[in-house]
Amino acid sequence: MIQAPATSPPSRRRHDREIISLAVPAFGALVAEPLFVMVDSAIVGHLGTPQLAGLAVAAALLTTAVSVFVFLAYATTAAVARRVGAGDLASAIRQGIDGIWLALLLGIVVIALALPAAPWLVDIFGASDTAAPYATTYLRISSLGIPAMLIVMAATGVLRGLQDTRTPLYVAVGGFAANGALNAGLVYGAGLGIAGSAWGTVIAQVSMAAAYLIVVVRGARRHGASLRPDAAGIRASAQAGVPLLVRTLSLRAVLMIATAVAARLGDTEIAAHQIILSLWSLMAFALDAIAIAGQAIIGRYLGADDAKGAREACRRMVQWGIASGVVFGALIVLARPLFVPLFTDDRSVQDTLLPALLVVALSQPVAGVVFVLDGVLMGAGDGRYLAWAMLVTLAVFAPVALLVPVFGGGLTALWWAMALMMTVRMATLWLRTRSGRWIVTGATR
């Protein structure tokens, strides 16, 4: 796939050690993130159905608002890793600090928009009259934690670029534990209800941001990097993030279109779709861990002017992606009788779910390649190409998915459209990596 000489066994072992040492802790941190919402849901669910419905609406809005800024982690990882490879740790940390200042500024803007717009957003999202007050309360309080959430993203990117994925894992686990304890204490112990859940999450997020900032500030002082905001550096971080923002929004549009089409197919189909999407997202976390390792490793090699090492690492990570996809696909097929009943005992949903699930299983090796090459190109700072590639993918997927109900297709047809989407992504990313144009060495791209 990648035009490079065959990798020798010693090189493969070296790359394997690097990938495992970065990907395994990254996976743990990624899995810890959605557990925040699960804990909130479990605790708030005992307050009543309207409260849980309100939490669902507010959490969906918050997740959407924060996820579009994931470029704060991705762009920072690539930029910092390049400077690490070039041997300039002070500049690497300075670059990361610029990303953190950008995160703080963006967080303040989001708060300014979210607080007055909360009732309107809840209404637009379709919350019922009984759930809307709870959704508004949770959204307004939780939005106060958005700057901390964005700082966590940027600081995570700094540490990943410094080849450290263990610290984010420790912080994520600590944040998860604190969130659970605070939620239980404030919701039931202090009797604050859903407001207590929101405040508990905010406090946990601020604590996580503080922990990251302590680590980054110590590193800055150790290497003599300035902590002051630098307008030029912040502007550069924003410019590097714009293409990745376009990529993320395009990907979100794909998922929203798929859910909207499934909803038009009927209640049974949307229920089955939600189950499949949950499983698909879980597997995406595991594959994304390899992509995160790719961002850090590729950035470091290119920063060190080691084009050959970058090619070899890319080749090896693609092999990891394919192997992981094959394993996940086989697990889906073999474990279907075990996990499907855990989600639903409705026979009609199960019957609708199973054939679509086979499509997901078959497409997992493709997904493995997509996630890895996505991470490789992010690590190379090739954001502009990633933006255009995702726009092309969206342009192909949207009409195909929207035609599924028109021609009487069901959920399986929709997931074949999703498989097509992943295949188009793989083709565009493979063409780029094959061309070699992503290989731009040096401390900056």
Side-chain angles (χ1 to χ4, degrees), residues 49-58 122 126-138 194:
T49 299
Q51 289 90 335
L52 183 59
L55 171 65
V57 171
V122 167
S128 67
D129 291 340
T130 55
Y134 298 110
T136 302
T137 297
Y138 191 93
I194 195 169

Side-chain angles (χ1 to χ4, degrees), residues 111-129:
I111 285 180
L113 295 173
L115 286 177
W120 176 77
L121 290 170
V122 167
D123 183 61
I124 290 295
F125 216 77
S128 67
D129 291 340

Side-chain angles (χ1 to χ4, degrees), residues 8-310:
S8 64
S11 293
R12 283 200 299 270
R13 286 194 293 270
R14 185 181 76 251
H15 291 312
D16 288 347
R17 286 195 298 270
E18 287 183 329
I19 293 167
I20 292 172
S21 66
L22 291 172
V24 172
F27 174 67
L30 288 170
V31 170
E33 292 174 11
L35 293 178
F36 270 73
V37 177
M38 291 181 63
V39 168
D40 289 2
S41 299
I43 293 174
V44 171
H46 291 286
L47 295 175
T49 299
Q51 289 90 335
L52 183 59
L55 171 65
V57 171
L61 287 166
L62 285 165
T63 300
T64 301
V66 173
S67 65
V68 298
F69 296 113
V70 72
F71 68 83
L72 290 167
Y74 293 160
T76 303
T77 297
V80 171
R82 274 185 176 270
R83 287 162 175 78
V84 169
D88 189 353
L89 287 177
S91 178
I93 295 173
R94 174 67 253 185
Q95 178 70 37
I97 290 170
D98 290 335
I100 291 173
W101 278 111
L102 175 61
L104 177 61
L105 293 174
L106 290 173
I108 292 171
V109 171
V110 174
I111 285 180
L113 295 173
L115 286 177
W120 176 77
L121 290 170
V122 167
D123 183 61
I124 290 295
F125 216 77
S128 67
D129 291 340
T130 55
Y134 298 110
T136 302
T137 297
Y138 191 93
L139 181 59
R140 278 182 165 158
I141 296 172
S142 293
S143 65
L144 299 175
I146 287 178
M149 296 168 72
L150 299 189
I151 287 172
V152 166
M153 279 188 179
T156 299
V158 176
L159 296 181
R160 288 173 180 170
L162 293 171
Q163 317 296 296
D164 176 10
T165 56
R166 291 184 180 274
T167 300
L169 171 61
Y170 300 148
V171 175
V173 171
F176 168 69
N179 181 62
L182 286 166
N183 268 259
L186 293 174
V187 171
Y188 298 118
L192 296 180
I194 195 169
S197 176
W199 280 117
T201 300
V202 168
I203 294 170
Q205 289 161 347
V206 171
S207 299
M208 291 173 66
Y212 274 116
L213 289 176
I214 289 171
V215 174
V216 173
V217 168
R218 285 177 177 172
R221 288 175 175 169
R222 187 181 308 120
H223 297 284
S226 174
L227 296 171
R228 295 179 179 177
D230 177 69
I234 294 172
R235 186 165 54 250
S237 295
Q239 289 172 345
V242 168
L244 295 180
L245 175 62
V246 173
R247 167 204 167 272
T248 301
L249 290 174
S250 300
L251 183 56
R252 296 289 300 182
V254 165
L255 298 177
M256 289 176 65
I257 290 170
T259 300
V261 170
R264 291 181 61 187
L265 295 175
D267 290 347
T268 299
E269 286 76 8
I270 187 63
H273 175 77
Q274 184 59 37
I275 294 171
I276 296 175
L277 196 59
S278 299
L279 293 169
W280 191 76
S281 298
L282 177 62
M283 290 178 289
F285 279 127
L287 295 173
D288 202 29
I290 303 175
I292 287 169
Q295 294 170 29
I297 292 169
I298 294 297
R300 192 188 75 236
Y301 274 119
L302 294 178
D305 293 323
D306 188 353
K308 180 176 181 290

Side-chain angles (χ1 to χ4, degrees), residues 287 290-291 294 313-314 316-322 367-377:
L287 295 173
I290 303 175
C314 177
R316 189 58 178 160
M317 281 183 283
V318 167
Q319 293 170 351
W320 270 77
I322 294 172
V369 175
V370 167
F371 276 84
V372 166
L373 293 184
D374 209 38
V376 165
L377 296 184

